[in-house]
Coordinates of all heavy atoms in Angstrom, one line a residue:
M1 N 103.1 -59.9 0.5 CA 103.4 -60.8 -0.6 C 103.1 -60.0 -1.9 O 102.0 -59.6 -2.1 CB 102.5 -62.0 -0.5 CG 103.0 -63.1 -1.3 SD 102.0 -64.6 -1.0 CE 102.2 -64.8 0.7
A2 N 104.1 -59.8 -2.6 CA 104.0 -59.0 -3.9 C 104.0 -59.9 -5.1 O 104.8 -60.8 -5.2 CB 105.1 -58.0 -4.0
F3 N 103.0 -59.7 -5.9 CA 102.9 -60.4 -7.2 C 102.4 -59.5 -8.3 O 101.9 -60.0 -9.3 CB 102.1 -61.7 -7.1 CG 100.8 -61.6 -6.5 CD1 99.7 -61.2 -7.2 CD2 100.6 -61.9 -5.1 CE1 98.4 -61.1 -6.6 CE2 99.4 -61.8 -4.5 CZ 98.3 -61.4 -5.3
N4 N 102.5 -58.2 -8.1 CA 102.1 -57.3 -9.1 C 103.0 -57.5 -10.3 O 104.2 -57.7 -10.2 CB 102.2 -55.8 -8.6 CG 101.2 -55.5 -7.5 OD1 100.2 -56.2 -7.4 ND2 101.5 -54.5 -6.7
N5 N 102.4 -57.3 -11.5 CA 103.1 -57.4 -12.7 C 103.7 -58.8 -13.0 O 104.7 -58.9 -13.6 CB 104.1 -56.3 -12.9 CG 103.5 -54.9 -12.9 OD1 102.4 -54.7 -13.4 ND2 104.1 -54.0 -12.2
A6 N 103.1 -59.8 -12.4 CA 103.6 -61.2 -12.6 C 103.3 -61.5 -14.1 O 102.2 -61.3 -14.6 CB 103.0 -62.2 -11.7
T7 N 104.3 -62.2 -14.7 CA 104.1 -62.5 -16.1 C 104.2 -64.0 -16.3 O 105.2 -64.6 -15.7 CB 105.2 -61.8 -17.0 OG1 105.1 -60.4 -16.9 CG2 105.0 -62.2 -18.5
L8 N 103.3 -64.7 -17.0 CA 103.3 -66.1 -17.2 C 103.4 -66.4 -18.7 O 102.7 -65.7 -19.5 CB 102.1 -66.8 -16.7 CG 101.9 -66.6 -15.2 CD1 100.5 -67.2 -14.8 CD2 102.9 -67.3 -14.4
P9 N 104.2 -67.4 -19.1 CA 104.2 -67.8 -20.5 C 102.8 -68.4 -20.9 O 102.0 -68.8 -20.0 CB 105.2 -68.8 -20.6 CG 105.8 -69.0 -19.3 CD 105.1 -68.1 -18.3
P10 N 102.5 -68.4 -22.2 CA 101.2 -68.9 -22.6 C 101.0 -70.4 -22.2 O 102.0 -71.1 -22.1 CB 101.2 -68.9 -24.1 CG 102.2 -67.8 -24.4 CD 103.2 -67.8 -23.3
S11 N 99.8 -70.8 -21.9 CA 99.4 -72.2 -21.5 C 100.0 -72.6 -20.2 O 100.1 -73.8 -19.9 CB 99.8 -73.2 -22.6 OG 99.2 -72.8 -23.8
V12 N 100.4 -71.7 -19.3 CA 100.9 -72.0 -18.0 C 99.9 -71.5 -17.0 O 99.4 -70.4 -17.1 CB 102.3 -71.4 -17.8 CG1 102.8 -71.6 -16.4 CG2 103.3 -72.0 -18.8
Q13 N 99.7 -72.3 -15.9 CA 98.9 -71.9 -14.8 C 99.7 -71.6 -13.6 O 100.8 -72.1 -13.4 CB 97.9 -73.0 -14.5 CG 96.9 -73.3 -15.6 CD 95.9 -74.4 -15.1 OE1 95.9 -74.9 -14.0 NE2 95.0 -74.8 -16.0
A14 N 99.2 -70.7 -12.8 CA 99.9 -70.3 -11.6 C 98.9 -70.1 -10.5 O 97.8 -69.7 -10.7 CB 100.8 -69.1 -11.8
T15 N 99.4 -70.2 -9.3 CA 98.5 -70.0 -8.1 C 99.2 -68.9 -7.3 O 100.4 -69.0 -7.0 CB 98.4 -71.2 -7.2 OG1 97.8 -72.3 -8.0 CG2 97.5 -71.0 -6.0
F16 N 98.4 -67.9 -6.9 CA 98.9 -66.8 -6.1 C 98.2 -66.8 -4.8 O 97.0 -66.5 -4.8 CB 98.8 -65.5 -6.8 CG 99.5 -65.4 -8.1 CD1 98.9 -65.6 -9.3 CD2 100.9 -65.1 -8.1 CE1 99.6 -65.5 -10.5 CE2 101.6 -65.0 -9.3 CZ 100.9 -65.2 -10.5
P17 N 98.8 -67.0 -3.7 CA 98.1 -67.0 -2.4 C 97.8 -65.5 -2.0 O 98.6 -64.6 -2.3 CB 99.1 -67.6 -1.4 CG 100.5 -67.3 -2.0 CD 100.2 -67.4 -3.5
Y18 N 96.6 -65.4 -1.4 CA 96.2 -64.1 -0.9 C 95.4 -64.3 0.3 O 94.5 -65.1 0.4 CB 95.4 -63.4 -2.0 CG 95.2 -61.9 -1.7 CD1 96.1 -61.0 -2.0 CD2 94.0 -61.5 -1.2 CE1 95.9 -59.6 -1.7 CE2 93.8 -60.2 -0.9 CZ 94.7 -59.2 -1.2 OH 94.5 -57.9 -0.9
I19 N 95.6 -63.4 1.3 CA 94.8 -63.5 2.6 C 93.8 -62.5 2.6 O 94.0 -61.3 2.4 CB 95.7 -63.4 3.8 CG1 96.8 -64.5 3.8 CG2 94.9 -63.3 5.1 CD1 97.9 -64.3 4.8
F20 N 92.5 -62.9 2.8 CA 91.4 -61.9 2.9 C 91.1 -61.6 4.4 O 91.0 -62.5 5.2 CB 90.1 -62.5 2.3 CG 90.3 -62.7 0.8 CD1 90.7 -63.9 0.2 CD2 90.0 -61.6 -0.1 CE1 90.9 -64.0 -1.1 CE2 90.1 -61.8 -1.4 CZ 90.6 -63.0 -2.0
V21 N 91.0 -60.3 4.7 CA 90.7 -59.9 6.1 C 89.6 -58.9 6.0 O 89.6 -58.0 5.2 CB 92.0 -59.3 6.7 CG1 91.7 -58.8 8.1 CG2 93.2 -60.2 6.6
V22 N 88.7 -59.0 7.0 CA 87.6 -58.0 7.1 C 88.0 -56.9 8.0 O 88.8 -57.1 8.9 CB 86.3 -58.7 7.5 CG1 85.8 -59.7 6.5 CG2 86.4 -59.3 8.9
S23 N 87.3 -55.8 7.9 CA 87.6 -54.7 8.8 C 87.2 -55.1 10.2 O 86.2 -55.7 10.5 CB 86.8 -53.5 8.4 OG 86.8 -52.4 9.3
K24 N 88.0 -54.6 11.2 CA 87.7 -54.8 12.6 C 86.4 -54.1 13.1 O 85.8 -54.5 14.1 CB 88.8 -54.5 13.5 CG 89.1 -53.0 13.5 CD 90.3 -52.7 14.5 CE 90.6 -51.2 14.5 NZ 91.8 -50.9 15.4
Y25 N 85.9 -53.2 12.3 CA 84.7 -52.4 12.6 C 83.4 -53.1 12.0 O 82.3 -52.6 12.3 CB 84.8 -51.0 12.1 CG 86.0 -50.3 12.7 CD1 87.0 -49.9 11.9 CD2 86.0 -50.0 14.0 CE1 88.2 -49.3 12.4 CE2 87.1 -49.3 14.6 CZ 88.2 -49.0 13.8 OH 89.3 -48.3 14.3
L26 N 83.6 -54.2 11.3 CA 82.5 -54.8 10.7 C 81.7 -55.7 11.7 O 82.4 -56.5 12.4 CB 82.9 -55.7 9.5 CG 81.9 -56.4 8.7 CD1 81.1 -55.3 7.9 CD2 82.5 -57.3 7.6
Q27 N 80.4 -55.5 11.8 CA 79.7 -56.3 12.8 C 79.6 -57.8 12.3 O 79.7 -58.0 11.1 CB 78.2 -55.7 12.8 CG 78.1 -54.4 13.5 CD 78.4 -54.4 15.0 OE1 78.0 -55.4 15.6 NE2 79.1 -53.4 15.5
A28 N 79.5 -58.6 13.3 CA 79.3 -60.1 12.9 C 78.0 -60.3 12.2 O 77.0 -59.6 12.4 CB 79.3 -60.9 14.2
G29 N 78.0 -61.2 11.2 CA 76.8 -61.5 10.5 C 77.2 -62.2 9.2 O 78.3 -62.6 9.0
T30 N 76.2 -62.4 8.3 CA 76.3 -63.1 7.1 C 76.3 -62.0 5.9 O 75.5 -61.1 5.9 CB 75.1 -64.0 6.9 OG1 75.1 -64.9 8.0 CG2 75.3 -64.9 5.6
F31 N 77.3 -62.2 5.0 CA 77.5 -61.2 3.9 C 77.7 -62.0 2.6 O 78.2 -63.1 2.6 CB 78.7 -60.4 4.2 CG 78.6 -59.5 5.4 CD1 79.1 -60.0 6.6 CD2 78.0 -58.3 5.4 CE1 79.0 -59.3 7.8 CE2 77.9 -57.5 6.6 CZ 78.4 -58.0 7.8
D32 N 77.3 -61.3 1.5 CA 77.6 -61.8 0.2 C 78.9 -61.3 -0.2 O 79.3 -60.2 0.0 CB 76.5 -61.3 -0.8 CG 75.1 -61.9 -0.5 OD1 75.0 -63.0 -0.1 OD2 74.2 -61.1 -0.8
L33 N 79.7 -62.2 -0.8 CA 81.1 -61.8 -1.2 C 81.3 -62.3 -2.7 O 81.0 -63.4 -3.1 CB 82.2 -62.5 -0.4 CG 83.6 -62.3 -0.8 CD1 84.0 -60.9 -0.7 CD2 84.5 -63.2 -0.1
V34 N 81.7 -61.3 -3.5 CA 82.1 -61.6 -4.9 C 83.6 -61.3 -5.1 O 83.9 -60.1 -4.9 CB 81.2 -60.8 -5.9 CG1 81.7 -61.1 -7.3 CG2 79.8 -61.2 -5.7
G35 N 84.4 -62.3 -5.4 CA 85.8 -62.1 -5.6 C 86.1 -62.1 -7.1 O 85.8 -63.0 -7.8
T36 N 86.7 -61.0 -7.5 CA 87.0 -60.9 -9.0 C 88.5 -60.6 -9.2 O 89.1 -59.9 -8.4 CB 86.2 -59.7 -9.5 OG1 84.8 -59.8 -9.3 CG2 86.4 -59.5 -11.0
I37 N 89.0 -61.3 -10.2 CA 90.4 -61.0 -10.5 C 90.5 -60.3 -11.9 O 89.7 -60.6 -12.8 CB 91.3 -62.3 -10.6 CG1 92.7 -62.0 -10.8 CG2 90.8 -63.3 -11.6 CD1 93.7 -63.1 -10.6
I38 N 91.3 -59.3 -12.0 CA 91.4 -58.5 -13.2 C 92.8 -58.8 -13.8 O 93.8 -58.6 -13.0 CB 91.2 -57.0 -13.0 CG1 89.8 -56.8 -12.4 CG2 91.4 -56.2 -14.2 CD1 89.5 -55.4 -11.9
Y39 N 92.9 -59.2 -15.0 CA 94.2 -59.5 -15.6 C 94.2 -59.0 -17.1 O 93.2 -58.6 -17.6 CB 94.5 -61.0 -15.5 CG 93.4 -61.9 -16.1 CD1 93.6 -62.4 -17.4 CD2 92.3 -62.2 -15.4 CE1 92.6 -63.2 -18.0 CE2 91.3 -63.0 -16.0 CZ 91.5 -63.5 -17.3 OH 90.5 -64.3 -17.8
E40 N 95.4 -59.1 -17.7 CA 95.6 -58.6 -19.0 C 96.3 -59.7 -19.9 O 97.3 -60.3 -19.4 CB 96.4 -57.4 -18.9 CG 96.5 -56.5 -20.1 CD 97.3 -55.3 -19.8 OE1 96.8 -54.3 -19.2 OE2 98.5 -55.2 -20.2
I41 N 95.8 -59.8 -21.1 CA 96.4 -60.7 -22.0 C 96.6 -59.9 -23.3 O 95.6 -59.4 -23.9 CB 95.6 -62.0 -22.3 CG1 95.4 -62.8 -21.0 CG2 96.2 -62.9 -23.4 CD1 94.6 -64.0 -21.1
D42 N 97.8 -59.8 -23.8 CA 98.1 -59.0 -25.0 C 97.5 -57.6 -24.9 O 96.9 -57.2 -25.9 CB 97.6 -59.8 -26.3 CG 98.4 -61.0 -26.5 OD1 99.6 -61.1 -26.1 OD2 97.8 -62.0 -27.1
Q43 N 97.6 -57.0 -23.8 CA 97.2 -55.7 -23.5 C 95.6 -55.5 -23.6 O 95.1 -54.4 -23.7 CB 97.9 -54.7 -24.4 CG 99.4 -54.9 -24.5 CD 100.1 -53.6 -24.4 OE1 99.7 -52.6 -24.8 NE2 101.3 -53.7 -23.8
Q44 N 94.9 -56.7 -23.5 CA 93.5 -56.7 -23.4 C 93.1 -57.0 -22.0 O 93.5 -58.0 -21.5 CB 92.9 -57.7 -24.4 CG 92.9 -57.3 -25.8 CD 91.8 -56.3 -26.1 OE1 92.0 -55.1 -25.9 NE2 90.7 -56.8 -26.6
P45 N 92.3 -56.2 -21.3 CA 91.9 -56.5 -20.0 C 90.8 -57.5 -19.9 O 89.9 -57.5 -20.8 CB 91.4 -55.1 -19.4 CG 91.0 -54.4 -20.7 CD 91.8 -54.9 -21.8
F46 N 90.9 -58.4 -18.9 CA 89.9 -59.4 -18.7 C 89.6 -59.4 -17.2 O 90.4 -59.0 -16.4 CB 90.4 -60.8 -19.1 CG 90.5 -61.0 -20.6 CD1 91.8 -60.7 -21.2 CD2 89.5 -61.4 -21.4 CE1 92.0 -60.8 -22.5 CE2 89.7 -61.5 -22.8 CZ 90.9 -61.2 -23.3
Q47 N 88.4 -60.0 -16.8 CA 88.2 -60.2 -15.4 C 87.4 -61.5 -15.3 O 86.6 -61.9 -16.1 CB 87.4 -59.0 -14.8 CG 86.0 -58.9 -15.2 CD 85.3 -57.7 -14.4 OE1 86.0 -56.8 -14.0 NE2 84.0 -57.8 -14.3
S48 N 87.7 -62.2 -14.2 CA 87.0 -63.5 -13.9 C 86.6 -63.5 -12.4 O 87.3 -63.0 -11.6 CB 88.0 -64.6 -14.1 OG 88.3 -64.7 -15.5
I49 N 85.4 -64.0 -12.2 CA 84.9 -64.1 -10.8 C 85.4 -65.5 -10.3 O 85.1 -66.5 -10.9 CB 83.4 -64.0 -10.8 CG1 82.9 -62.6 -11.2 CG2 82.8 -64.4 -9.4 CD1 81.4 -62.5 -11.3
F50 N 86.1 -65.5 -9.2 CA 86.6 -66.7 -8.6 C 85.9 -67.1 -7.4 O 86.0 -68.3 -6.9 CB 88.1 -66.6 -8.4 CG 88.5 -65.6 -7.3 CD1 88.5 -65.9 -6.0 CD2 88.9 -64.3 -7.7 CE1 88.9 -64.9 -5.0 CE2 89.3 -63.4 -6.8 CZ 89.3 -63.7 -5.5
Y51 N 85.1 -66.3 -6.8 CA 84.2 -66.6 -5.7 C 82.9 -65.8 -5.7 O 83.0 -64.6 -5.9 CB 84.9 -66.5 -4.4 CG 84.1 -67.0 -3.2 CD1 84.1 -68.3 -2.9 CD2 83.3 -66.1 -2.5 CE1 83.3 -68.8 -1.8 CE2 82.5 -66.6 -1.4 CZ 82.5 -67.9 -1.1 OH 81.7 -68.4 -0.1
N52 N 81.8 -66.4 -5.6 CA 80.5 -65.7 -5.6 C 79.7 -66.5 -4.6 O 79.1 -67.5 -4.9 CB 79.9 -65.7 -6.9 CG 78.6 -64.8 -6.9 OD1 78.3 -64.2 -5.9 ND2 77.9 -64.8 -8.0
G53 N 79.6 -66.1 -3.3 CA 78.9 -66.8 -2.3 C 78.7 -66.0 -1.1 O 79.0 -64.8 -1.0
T54 N 78.3 -66.7 -0.1 CA 78.0 -66.1 1.2 C 79.1 -66.5 2.2 O 79.6 -67.6 2.2 CB 76.6 -66.6 1.8 OG1 75.6 -66.4 0.8 CG2 76.3 -66.0 3.1
I55 N 79.5 -65.5 3.0 CA 80.5 -65.7 4.1 C 79.9 -65.3 5.4 O 78.9 -64.5 5.4 CB 81.8 -65.0 3.8 CG1 81.5 -63.4 3.8 CG2 82.5 -65.4 2.6 CD1 82.8 -62.6 3.9
E56 N 80.3 -65.9 6.4 CA 79.9 -65.6 7.8 C 81.0 -65.0 8.5 O 82.1 -65.5 8.6 CB 79.4 -66.8 8.5 CG 78.8 -66.4 9.9 CD 78.1 -67.6 10.5 OE1 77.7 -68.6 9.8 OE2 77.9 -67.5 11.7
V57 N 80.8 -63.8 9.1 CA 81.8 -63.1 9.8 C 81.4 -63.2 11.3 O 80.3 -62.9 11.7 CB 81.9 -61.6 9.5 CG1 82.8 -60.8 10.4 CG2 82.3 -61.4 8.0
A58 N 82.4 -63.8 12.1 CA 82.1 -64.0 13.5 C 83.0 -63.2 14.3 O 84.1 -62.8 13.9 CB 82.3 -65.5 13.8
E59 N 82.6 -62.9 15.6 CA 83.5 -62.1 16.5 C 84.7 -62.9 16.8 O 84.6 -64.2 16.9 CB 82.7 -61.7 17.7 CG 81.7 -60.6 17.5 CD 81.1 -60.1 18.8 OE1 81.9 -59.9 19.8 OE2 79.9 -59.8 18.8
A60 N 85.8 -62.3 17.1 CA 87.0 -63.0 17.5 C 86.7 -63.6 18.9 O 85.8 -63.1 19.6 CB 88.1 -62.0 17.6
G61 N 87.4 -64.7 19.2 CA 87.1 -65.4 20.4 C 87.0 -64.5 21.6 O 86.8 -63.3 21.5
G62 N 87.1 -65.1 22.8 CA 87.0 -64.3 24.0 C 85.6 -64.5 24.6 O 84.6 -64.7 23.9
F63 N 85.6 -64.6 25.9 CA 84.3 -64.9 26.6 C 83.4 -63.7 26.5 O 82.2 -63.8 26.4 CB 84.6 -65.3 28.0 CG 83.4 -65.7 28.8 CD1 82.7 -66.8 28.5 CD2 83.0 -64.9 29.8 CE1 81.5 -67.1 29.2 CE2 81.9 -65.2 30.6 CZ 81.1 -66.3 30.3
L64 N 83.9 -62.5 26.8 CA 83.1 -61.3 26.8 C 83.3 -60.4 25.6 O 84.5 -60.2 25.2 CB 83.4 -60.5 28.1 CG 83.0 -61.2 29.4 CD1 83.4 -60.4 30.6 CD2 81.5 -61.4 29.5
S65 N 82.2 -59.8 25.1 CA 82.4 -58.8 24.1 C 81.8 -57.5 24.7 O 81.0 -57.5 25.6 CB 81.6 -59.2 22.8 OG 80.2 -59.2 23.1
V66 N 82.1 -56.4 24.0 CA 81.5 -55.1 24.5 C 80.0 -55.2 24.4 O 79.3 -54.7 25.3 CB 82.1 -54.0 23.6 CG1 81.5 -52.7 23.9 CG2 83.6 -53.9 23.8
E67 N 79.5 -55.8 23.3 CA 78.1 -55.8 23.2 C 77.4 -56.6 24.3 O 76.4 -56.2 24.8 CB 77.7 -56.4 21.8 CG 76.2 -56.4 21.5 CD 76.0 -56.9 20.1 OE1 76.9 -57.1 19.3 OE2 74.8 -57.2 19.8
S68 N 77.9 -57.8 24.6 CA 77.3 -58.6 25.7 C 77.4 -57.9 27.0 O 76.5 -58.0 27.8 CB 78.0 -60.0 25.7 OG 79.3 -59.9 26.0
V69 N 78.5 -57.3 27.3 CA 78.6 -56.5 28.6 C 77.6 -55.4 28.7 O 76.9 -55.2 29.7 CB 80.1 -56.0 28.8 CG1 80.1 -55.0 30.0 CG2 81.1 -57.1 29.0
F70 N 77.4 -54.7 27.6 CA 76.4 -53.7 27.5 C 75.0 -54.2 27.7 O 74.2 -53.7 28.5 CB 76.5 -52.9 26.2 CG 75.3 -52.0 26.0 CD1 75.3 -50.7 26.6 CD2 74.3 -52.3 25.1 CE1 74.3 -49.8 26.4 CE2 73.3 -51.4 24.9 CZ 73.3 -50.2 25.6
L71 N 74.7 -55.3 27.1 CA 73.3 -55.9 27.2 C 73.1 -56.4 28.6 O 72.0 -56.2 29.1 CB 73.1 -57.0 26.2 CG 73.0 -56.5 24.7 CD1 73.0 -57.7 23.8 CD2 71.8 -55.6 24.5
V72 N 74.1 -57.1 29.2 CA 73.9 -57.5 30.6 C 73.7 -56.4 31.6 O 72.8 -56.4 32.4 CB 75.1 -58.4 31.0 CG1 75.1 -58.7 32.5 CG2 75.1 -59.7 30.2
T73 N 74.5 -55.3 31.4 CA 74.4 -54.1 32.3 C 73.0 -53.5 32.1 O 72.4 -53.1 33.1 CB 75.5 -53.1 31.9 OG1 76.8 -53.8 32.1 CG2 75.5 -51.9 32.8
L74 N 72.6 -53.4 30.8 CA 71.3 -52.8 30.6 C 70.1 -53.6 31.2 O 69.2 -53.1 31.8 CB 71.0 -52.7 29.1 CG 69.7 -52.1 28.6 CD1 69.5 -50.7 29.1 CD2 69.6 -52.2 27.1
G75 N 70.3 -55.0 31.1 CA 69.2 -55.8 31.7 C 69.2 -55.7 33.2 O 68.1 -55.6 33.8
I76 N 70.4 -55.6 33.8 CA 70.4 -55.5 35.3 C 69.8 -54.1 35.7 O 69.0 -54.0 36.7 CB 71.8 -55.6 35.8 CG1 72.3 -57.1 35.7 CG2 72.0 -55.2 37.3 CD1 73.8 -57.3 35.9
A77 N 70.1 -53.1 35.0 CA 69.6 -51.7 35.3 C 68.1 -51.7 35.1 O 67.4 -51.1 36.0 CB 70.2 -50.7 34.4
L78 N 67.6 -52.4 34.1 CA 66.1 -52.4 33.9 C 65.4 -53.2 35.1 O 64.4 -52.8 35.6 CB 65.7 -53.0 32.6 CG 66.1 -52.1 31.4 CD1 65.8 -52.9 30.1 CD2 65.3 -50.8 31.4
L79 N 66.1 -54.3 35.5 CA 65.5 -55.0 36.6 C 65.5 -54.2 37.9 O 64.6 -54.3 38.7 CB 66.3 -56.4 36.8 CG 66.0 -57.4 35.7 CD1 67.0 -58.6 36.0 CD2 64.6 -57.9 35.8
V80 N 66.6 -53.5 38.2 CA 66.7 -52.6 39.3 C 65.6 -51.6 39.3 O 64.9 -51.3 40.3 CB 68.1 -52.0 39.5 CG1 68.1 -50.9 40.5 CG2 69.1 -53.1 39.8
L81 N 65.4 -50.9 38.1 CA 64.3 -49.9 38.0 C 63.0 -50.5 38.2 O 62.1 -49.9 38.9 CB 64.4 -49.2 36.6 CG 65.6 -48.3 36.4 CD1 65.6 -47.8 35.0 CD2 65.4 -47.1 37.4
L82 N 62.7 -51.7 37.7 CA 61.4 -52.4 37.9 C 61.3 -52.7 39.4 O 60.2 -52.5 39.9 CB 61.4 -53.7 37.1 CG 60.1 -54.5 37.2 CD1 58.9 -53.8 36.7 CD2 60.3 -55.8 36.5
G83 N 62.3 -53.2 40.0 CA 62.2 -53.4 41.5 C 61.9 -52.2 42.3 O 61.1 -52.2 43.2
L84 N 62.6 -51.1 42.0 CA 62.3 -49.8 42.7 C 60.9 -49.3 42.4 O 60.2 -48.9 43.3 CB 63.3 -48.7 42.2 CG 64.7 -48.9 42.7 CD1 65.6 -47.9 42.1 CD2 64.8 -48.8 44.2
W85 N 60.4 -49.5 41.2 CA 59.0 -49.1 40.9 C 58.0 -49.9 41.7 O 57.1 -49.4 42.3 CB 58.8 -49.2 39.4 CG 57.4 -48.8 39.0 CD1 56.9 -47.5 38.9 CD2 56.3 -49.6 38.7 NE1 55.6 -47.5 38.5 CE2 55.2 -48.8 38.4 CE3 56.1 -51.0 38.7 CZ2 53.9 -49.4 38.1 CZ3 54.9 -51.5 38.4 CH2 53.8 -50.7 38.1
L86 N 58.3 -51.3 41.7 CA 57.4 -52.2 42.5 C 57.4 -51.9 43.9 O 56.4 -51.9 44.6 CB 57.8 -53.6 42.2 CG 57.4 -54.2 40.8 CD1 58.0 -55.6 40.6 CD2 55.9 -54.2 40.6
H87 N 58.6 -51.6 44.5 CA 58.7 -51.2 45.9 C 57.9 -49.9 46.2 O 57.2 -49.9 47.2 CB 60.2 -51.0 46.2 CG 60.4 -50.6 47.7 ND1 60.2 -51.5 48.7 CD2 60.8 -49.5 48.2 CE1 60.5 -50.9 49.8 NE2 60.9 -49.7 49.6
G88 N 58.0 -48.9 45.3 CA 57.2 -47.7 45.5 C 55.7 -48.0 45.4 O 55.0 -47.4 46.2
Q89 N 55.3 -48.8 44.5 CA 53.9 -49.2 44.4 C 53.4 -49.9 45.7 O 52.4 -49.6 46.2 CB 53.6 -50.0 43.2 CG 53.9 -49.3 41.9 CD 53.0 -48.1 41.7 OE1 51.8 -48.1 42.0 NE2 53.6 -47.0 41.2
F90 N 54.3 -50.8 46.2 CA 53.9 -51.5 47.4 C 53.8 -50.6 48.6 O 52.9 -50.7 49.4 CB 55.0 -52.6 47.7 CG 54.7 -53.4 48.9 CD1 53.7 -54.4 48.9 CD2 55.4 -53.3 50.0 CE1 53.4 -55.1 50.0 CE2 55.2 -54.0 51.2 CZ 54.2 -54.9 51.2
Q91 N 54.7 -49.6 48.7 CA 54.7 -48.6 49.8 C 53.5 -47.8 49.7 O 52.8 -47.5 50.7 CB 56.0 -47.7 49.7 CG 57.3 -48.4 50.0 CD 57.4 -48.9 51.5 OE1 56.7 -48.3 52.4 NE2 58.1 -49.9 51.7
R92 N 53.1 -47.4 48.5 CA 51.9 -46.6 48.3 C 50.6 -47.3 48.7 O 49.7 -46.8 49.4 CB 51.8 -46.1 46.9 CG 50.8 -45.0 46.7 CD 51.0 -44.4 45.2 NE 50.8 -45.4 44.2 CZ 49.7 -45.5 43.5 NH1 48.7 -44.6 43.5 NH2 49.6 -46.5 42.6
I93 N 50.6 -48.6 48.4 CA 49.4 -49.4 48.7 C 49.3 -49.7 50.2 O 48.2 -49.6 50.7 CB 49.4 -50.7 47.9 CG1 49.2 -50.5 46.4 CG2 48.4 -51.7 48.4 CD1 49.4 -51.7 45.5
T94 N 50.4 -49.9 50.8 CA 50.3 -50.2 52.3 C 50.0 -49.0 53.1 O 49.4 -49.0 54.1 CB 51.7 -50.8 52.7 OG1 52.7 -49.9 52.4 CG2 51.9 -52.2 52.1
K95 N 50.3 -47.8 52.6 CA 49.9 -46.5 53.3 C 48.4 -46.3 53.2 O 47.9 -45.7 54.1 CB 50.7 -45.3 52.7 CG 52.1 -45.2 53.1 CD 52.7 -44.0 52.5 CE 54.2 -43.9 52.9 NZ 54.8 -42.7 52.4
V96 N 47.8 -46.7 52.2 CA 46.3 -46.5 52.0 C 45.6 -47.3 53.1 O 44.6 -46.9 53.7 CB 45.9 -46.9 50.6 CG1 44.4 -46.9 50.5 CG2 46.5 -45.9 49.6
F97 N 46.1 -48.5 53.4 CA 45.4 -49.4 54.3 C 46.0 -49.2 55.7 O 46.2 -49.4 56.6 CB 45.5 -50.9 53.9 CG 44.8 -51.1 52.6 CD1 45.5 -51.4 51.5 CD2 43.4 -51.1 52.5 CE1 44.8 -51.7 50.3 CE2 42.7 -51.3 51.3 CZ 43.5 -51.7 50.2

């Protein structure tokens, strides 16, 4: 949608739609966002803040994420290692008696 160099007569208001998108590499979380518009009147630059608040970025839908698969795999691997260590300890104790 192009609206560069849009010109409005004096005392007229206009609305310009714009879609905001975050980077796909941005981690989910809470962020501060300040939206500023820069405009010119009689060749004098002005700027106005139209949003100053907090936004929440969430992962796109889907049941599984890469992070959750990694964490589940890591948890299972740690449980297996703990089980092997306990088995070794049990074997060592039973050999003594």
Side-chain angles (χ1 to χ4, degrees):
M1 197 174 303
F3 49 85
N4 292 338
N5 298 321
T7 303
L8 299 173
S11 301
V12 173
Q13 294 183 3
T15 301
F16 299 98
Y18 191 83
I19 298 172
F20 293 92
V21 180
V22 296
S23 170
K24 65 180 180 179
Y25 301 111
L26 186 66
Q27 293 288 324
T30 304
F31 298 92
D32 294 328
L33 174 67
V34 178
T36 305
I37 186 168
I38 300 170
Y39 57 97
E40 192 176 282
I41 298 176
D42 294 330
Q43 311 225 330
Q44 284 283 84
F46 293 91
Q47 73 178 25
S48 296
I49 295 174
F50 63 87
Y51 184 83
N52 185 6
T54 304
I55 61 167
E56 186 172 341
V57 176
E59 286 188 41
F63 181 69
L64 293 176
S65 68
V66 173
E67 185 178 350
S68 63
V69 170
F70 172 76
L71 290 175
V72 168
T73 304
L74 179 64
I76 291 170
L78 290 175
L79 286 175
V80 167
L81 286 174
L82 178 65
L84 289 172
W85 181 79
L86 288 173
H87 180 70
Q89 294 299 320
F90 180 73
Q91 292 292 333
R92 194 171 57 108
I93 289 172
T94 55
K95 283 183 180 179
V96 173
F97 295 111

